[in-house]
Amino acid sequence: MPKFDIAAALADGYSYSEIASYLSELHGFDLNAAKYDGIGDEEVAGFLSAREVRPPVESDSDFGAGVKQLGRLAYDFPTQVQGAAGALMYDPLEPEGTGARWMDVADKRNRERAAQLELEGTAEKKFLPGISVGNVQDASSSTGFSAVAMGPSIAGEIGATLAAKAPNPAVKLGGQALSYLGGAAGSAVSGDKMDEAMFTKQLLERANQQMLRTDGRPMTDEETRKYLDETAEIRSQHGLWEAGPEAVGNALEVIGLRKIFSGLAKGNLLGAVAGMVMNQATEHTTETITGMGQQPLEVAGGLSNEKPYEMGNPQDWGAAFKEQAPVTAVLGGVTGGAAGAAGKLYGMTRPPLQATPEPERQMPDFEAARQQVESLQVPTPIIPPLK
């Protein structure tokens, strides 16, 4: 396969910075991260120019690569949860804080996985109808966020289940209502915080990258504070567009997961399928709404060069649905599959139901009863003499 001719590019007047930027985009290399690690443009350009330029990969199928990527998704899940937990603690003014470091761990893993797919040449290959192997990796980076955001909803469902056993009707209804509301509120707050942190981190990385290109240095603390003030509104709105649909979606998805779990635990396949359909419909709806609200904010923040979505434009709604559909389908399948596997395992391990045997019914002993009656001595009545 051909390689990039860096000497010819330099002879044509291109700088190492331009070459490094071009090759980074071509190979999916994180140039900003490399600069943070102290790697210069010339070194990046030299490293990437030695790579073979792969031709576009045909959209053929590779089911095995998809299964392999699902295995990586499961392996990376703890790292993704760590990254999501870091987002809850993230402080943009403390780039070396615990929250930022935990998020960096997950980001680094995602870059490594993306690089693996590029070297393997399988990112664009089809895993399932409408889902590529790369979509599985995209879903992997969202598993931690989904798990942490769904935690309060699961806790609310458990609380509502316990409240349903209360003998007092008022306590029962009140406990269920408070549990569901608390779970939804917790899911909304965590979703808002994590999303705003991730969006803020992306904005700061882009701003620092621009500063490195223009001034050869990252932003100062004072410049960072000023930038955060300038972007406060879009960052807050971005988190709110995640929080609202996330709270509703997680509450309904927990109900669907319960249907899947109990359906397979009891051998009710139809109930499990109904739960899976419910979850997919819910997630696709809420994610489409979130995408419609967040995309214009990402355009305003310079993270996208596309035309901002308009709420009244049906084509934009279709584009928002298509953008989220593959990743949402993978996430829904993974969570539903996990609930189904747990339900099936529970159904196999719990003791079978056994009816309590009724006591054996015996026919009365009529002969013994007759003998007992005959043995009774009934006193003879005294008859007065006749006059």
Side-chain angles (χ1 to χ4, degrees):
M1 293 183 184
K3 296 181 180 180
F4 184 82
D5 191 345
I6 191 171
L10 289 170
D12 290 337
Y14 290 97
S15 65
Y16 277 112
S17 176
E18 292 172 321
I19 297 173
S21 179
Y22 169 76
L23 291 176
S24 295
E25 184 176 354
L26 180 65
H27 292 284
F29 184 80
D30 193 335
L31 180 61
N32 186 42
K35 289 183 177 181
Y36 270 119
D37 292 337
I39 304 175
D41 290 329
E42 182 176 354
E43 188 175 355
V44 171
F47 169 71
L48 294 179
S49 65
R51 289 188 177 185
E52 295 176 338
V53 180
R54 293 181 177 272
V57 180
E58 297 181 0
S59 297
D60 55 338
S61 299
D62 194 336
F63 183 78
V67 173
K68 182 179 181 180
Q69 197 61 33
L70 282 176
R72 291 170 176 170
L73 180 149
Y75 180 83
D76 293 342
F77 179 67
T79 302
Q80 303 298 347
V81 171
Q82 180 184 7
L88 292 175
M89 302 181 289
Y90 177 68
D91 184 347
L93 297 176
E94 294 184 8
E96 300 300 325
T98 301
R101 287 189 289 104
W102 285 13
M103 293 175 72
D104 287 339
V105 170
D107 291 341
K108 181 180 179 183
R109 178 63 58 83
N110 292 331
R111 292 194 300 268
E112 291 173 348
R113 293 305 189 196
Q116 280 183 316
L117 290 183
E118 183 210 347
L119 293 175
E120 294 167 358
T122 58
E124 300 300 325
K125 291 189 176 182
K126 298 302 178 184
F127 171 40
L128 294 172
I131 299 175
S132 69
V133 178
N135 293 145
V136 180
Q137 169 54 31
D138 294 336
S140 177
S141 62
S142 300
T143 53
F145 185 103
S146 298
V148 174
M150 193 181 294
S153 295
I154 294 176
E157 179 69 20
I158 294 174
T161 301
L162 295 176
K165 300 178 181 180
N168 188 310
V171 175
K172 176 180 178 180
L173 293 176
Q176 288 179 308
L178 290 175
S179 296
Y180 283 126
L181 290 175
S187 181
V189 171
S190 60
D192 174 75
K193 173 62 177 175
M194 288 188 294
D195 180 84
E196 184 174 341
M198 294 175 180
F199 186 50
T200 299
K201 192 170 184 290
Q202 290 176 332
L203 291 175
L204 286 175
E205 287 175 350
R206 177 184 175 276
N208 274 300
Q209 187 174 6
Q210 288 182 331
M211 185 67 74
L212 286 168
R213 288 176 177 174
T214 57
D215 296 2
R217 62 171 179 82
M219 291 191 298
T220 64
D221 291 344
E222 185 62 29
E223 290 170 336
T224 299
R225 290 189 180 90
K226 182 180 179 181
Y227 181 76
L228 291 174
D229 290 338
E230 294 172 350
T231 59
E233 184 176 355
I234 63 171
R235 291 187 296 109
S236 176
Q237 290 180 8
H238 199 279
L240 290 175
W241 273 110
E242 185 72 36
E246 186 77 21
V248 176
N250 283 341
L252 295 176
E253 189 173 356
V254 168
I255 296 175
L257 292 175
R258 183 180 62 184
K259 291 179 178 291
I260 297 171
F261 178 90
S262 61
L264 289 181
K266 300 175 182 178
N268 181 7
L269 182 59
L270 186 60
V273 171
M276 181 66 78
V277 172
M278 175 183 175
N279 278 5
Q280 288 286 346
T282 299
E283 283 296 299
H284 283 293
T285 301
T286 57
E287 290 298 327
T288 300
I289 294 172
T290 296
M292 283 294 295
Q294 290 181 339
Q295 190 265 1
L297 302 172
E298 293 165 0
V299 173
L303 298 180
S304 173
N305 295 323
E306 298 179 355
K307 175 181 173 293
Y309 289 162
E310 298 178 359
M311 287 294 178
N313 190 336
Q315 293 181 345
D316 288 343
W317 281 96
F321 176 83
K322 290 179 180 179
E323 184 177 357
Q324 61 79 37
V327 174
T328 300
V330 174
L331 278 174
V334 169
T335 55
K344 188 67 175 178
L345 181 62
Y346 175 75
M348 294 171 60
T349 56
R350 66 175 181 169
L353 294 176
Q354 294 182 351
T356 303
E358 297 183 359
E360 185 178 355
R361 301 179 63 181
Q362 297 181 349
M363 295 296 293
D365 190 344
F366 294 105
E367 179 62 24
R370 184 185 65 79
Q371 294 179 0
Q372 185 177 6
V373 170
E374 290 180 350
S375 65
L376 293 177
Q377 294 183 357
V378 180
T380 302
I382 301 175
I383 302 175
L386 295 174
K387 293 183 180 180

